[in-house]
Amino acid sequence: MNLLVTGGCGFIGSNFIRHCLTEKGSPLRKLVNLDKLTYAGNPATLADVANDPRYIFAQGNIADEILVADLLAANQIDAIVNFAAETHVDRSIDSPEPFIQTNVVGTLRLLNAARRYWAALKEMKKERFRFLHISTDEVYGSLDPDDPPFTETKPFAPNSPYAASKAASDHLVRVYQHSYQLPTLTISCSNNYGPFQFPEKLIPLIILNALDGKPLPIYGDGQQVRDWLHVQDHTTAIWLVLNQGQIGETYNVGGNNERTNLAVVRCLCALLDQKAPRKDGKSYSAQITFVTDRPGHDRRYATNCTKLRRELGWSPKESFETGLAKTVDWYLSHRAWCDDITAKKYTRERLGVASIP
């Protein structure tokens, strides 16, 4: 397989690339990573695999149809996995247009290039080709406390510009399969966490603020519920769907770990109390600060993964407790990476609040 990954220098994309290149018996002959290198893209995230002879990095925009067409043809691509997206909800509320340009227009142009390339392939390669689109459970909207988790058939009801842009891109992917028979697949995932996550997101933000002696900001009452999925469980699911998923289908991926934001932060504080205690002997929980809630903040997400488990045999390996402990260990041992990305591209004080993607 020759694979084109878009947005591969971001959090989930880089973890997926690492999974593909380090998995024993991987069928990859070539992996091309197309990334625009926005503020959240960091090539250093893939430094450990950058010298793999199968790996090729190309800086560019998924909206550049000529560039995408050249990469597809030159590398005889067999499948595209589209991670490229603007994903930060707070930023989408402040400025929706970049989300429309990347998540909607960019996906449209990527689909255009993929469709033209696929249509010209010989029959055997044409049958093998896949376009896998990575989306979010936020397209489904918000759940009440007693509602059942999202299934793949739940109608879309996005409540932020980010979620609306992802819902639009999902519709485009569906249309290109239905109208043009492009062999597409979609994954809708719950909140990811793990190594190499950009520090505007809740878990790394809390870890780094705690270690720096800064406030640990919590939106509203902190009772918003999310289903937490370790990124390495997600990459395993992506690989399964890419290779065994049914064309035209959407698969939900979640960790079966519903937690309130406040509970997540308290767990992080307890782990840091054990692994990197404060010099004054106090708990990091003393730094918790409640701040004004975000406009339109969804109250609960929960993801039903029965379809993925039933059809492809997937289930998450990490419990929330084991995954969170491993994540804290990773950030404690990779302070140089954190310092580099925050110093060069991002200042956590600009955000001022913990983001929930």
Side-chain angles (χ1 to χ4, degrees):
M1 180 186 290
N2 294 331
L3 189 61
L4 173 63
V5 174
T6 68
C9 289
F11 168 46
I12 304 175
S14 64
N15 275 280
F16 177 70
I17 287 175
R18 185 173 291 100
H19 171 86
C20 292
L21 293 175
T22 59
E23 188 75 4
K24 290 183 178 179
S26 171
L28 280 181
R29 292 193 304 266
K30 189 181 294 185
L31 191 154
V32 181
N33 174 15
L34 173 62
D35 198 296
K36 188 178 176 181
L37 296 183
T38 63
Y39 75 95
N42 183 6
T45 299
L46 289 166
D48 56 322
V49 296
N51 292 325
D52 190 306
R54 297 169 294 173
Y55 177 72
I56 299 169
F57 173 70
Q59 184 172 356
N61 192 333
I62 60 170
D64 185 341
E65 292 185 41
I66 295 174
L67 171 62
V68 173
D70 288 346
L71 290 173
L72 291 170
N75 296 285
Q76 299 182 338
I77 295 298
D78 299 302
I80 299 171
V81 183
N82 180 33
F83 295 96
E86 296 282 350
T87 65
H88 189 247
V89 176
D90 288 346
R91 291 178 185 269
S92 80
I93 292 170
D94 291 341
S95 182
E97 186 165 342
F99 289 74
I100 301 303
Q101 290 301 321
T102 297
N103 300 355
V104 183
V105 177
T107 300
L108 172 64
R109 292 179 178 171
L110 182 65
L111 285 163
N112 284 338
R115 177 194 167 206
R116 286 193 295 268
Y117 171 76
W118 168 78
L121 291 174
K122 293 182 178 179
E123 200 59 34
M124 185 176 295
K125 281 185 72 75
K126 194 173 184 179
E127 289 179 5
R128 290 171 48 197
F129 185 84
R130 296 292 184 271
F131 183 108
L132 175 54
H133 177 65
I134 309 302
S135 190
T136 171
D137 61 358
E138 294 194 40
V139 298
Y140 300 123
S142 185
L143 293 169
D144 290 332
D146 297 326
D147 286 343
F150 301 128
T151 65
E152 291 84 354
T153 58
K154 187 182 184 304
F156 284 6
N159 291 319
S160 71
Y162 161 63
S165 70
K166 290 300 289 184
S169 69
D170 291 5
H171 285 313
L172 287 170
V173 172
R174 181 182 185 278
V175 163
Y176 270 64
Q177 198 284 315
H178 183 77
S179 295
Y180 306 118
Q181 290 75 55
L182 184 69
T184 67
L185 301 143
T186 299
I187 280 177
S188 293
C189 68
S190 64
N191 280 42
N192 280 226
Y193 70 100
F196 295 106
Q197 189 170 29
F198 196 73
E200 68 188 354
K201 300 300 176 74
L202 177 66
I203 287 176
L205 179 93
I206 294 300
I207 294 171
L208 298 180
N209 273 18
L211 296 173
D212 290 344
K214 297 177 179 178
L216 308 183
I218 305 295
Y219 274 138
D221 61 3
Q223 295 305 305
Q224 303 88 353
V225 174
R226 300 295 183 261
D227 176 15
W228 293 93
L229 171 67
H230 193 275
V231 68
Q232 290 170 2
D233 281 328
H234 189 192
T235 60
T236 301
I238 294 168
W239 185 252
L240 271 175
V241 171
L242 178 63
N243 286 278
Q244 300 178 32
Q246 193 80 11
I247 290 172
E249 293 295 313
T250 295
Y251 295 87
N252 285 348
V253 185
N256 299 323
N257 293 308
E258 288 189 56
R259 300 288 191 281
T260 67
N261 294 339
L262 183 57
V264 171
V265 173
R266 292 196 185 282
C267 286
L268 288 168
C269 290
L271 285 167
L272 288 168
D273 289 342
Q274 297 171 17
K275 297 172 181 292
R278 283 175 38 157
K279 292 180 181 179
D280 62 6
K282 294 181 180 180
S283 172
Y284 286 103
S285 61
Q287 296 167 225
I288 291 175
T289 304
F290 293 91
V291 300
T292 302
D293 207 354
R294 181 171 70 204
H297 201 173
D298 288 340
R299 196 65 175 173
R300 174 176 170 242
Y301 303 143
T303 306
N304 184 324
C305 306
T306 301
K307 179 178 177 179
L308 182 60
R309 183 171 61 251
R310 182 183 65 244
E311 294 187 10
L312 302 183
W314 176 90
S315 61
K317 293 182 179 179
E318 295 289 354
S319 69
F320 185 68
E321 291 72 22
T322 61
L324 200 65
K326 290 178 181 178
T327 300
V328 169
D329 287 340
W330 188 89
Y331 279 94
L332 289 174
S333 62
H334 289 79
R335 290 302 304 273
W337 179 87
C338 299
D339 292 344
D340 180 66
I341 196 168
T342 54
K344 288 185 178 178
K345 293 191 176 181
Y346 175 77
T347 303
R348 295 199 302 283
E349 287 85 343
R350 286 175 54 198
L351 182 63
V353 291
S355 167
I356 308 301

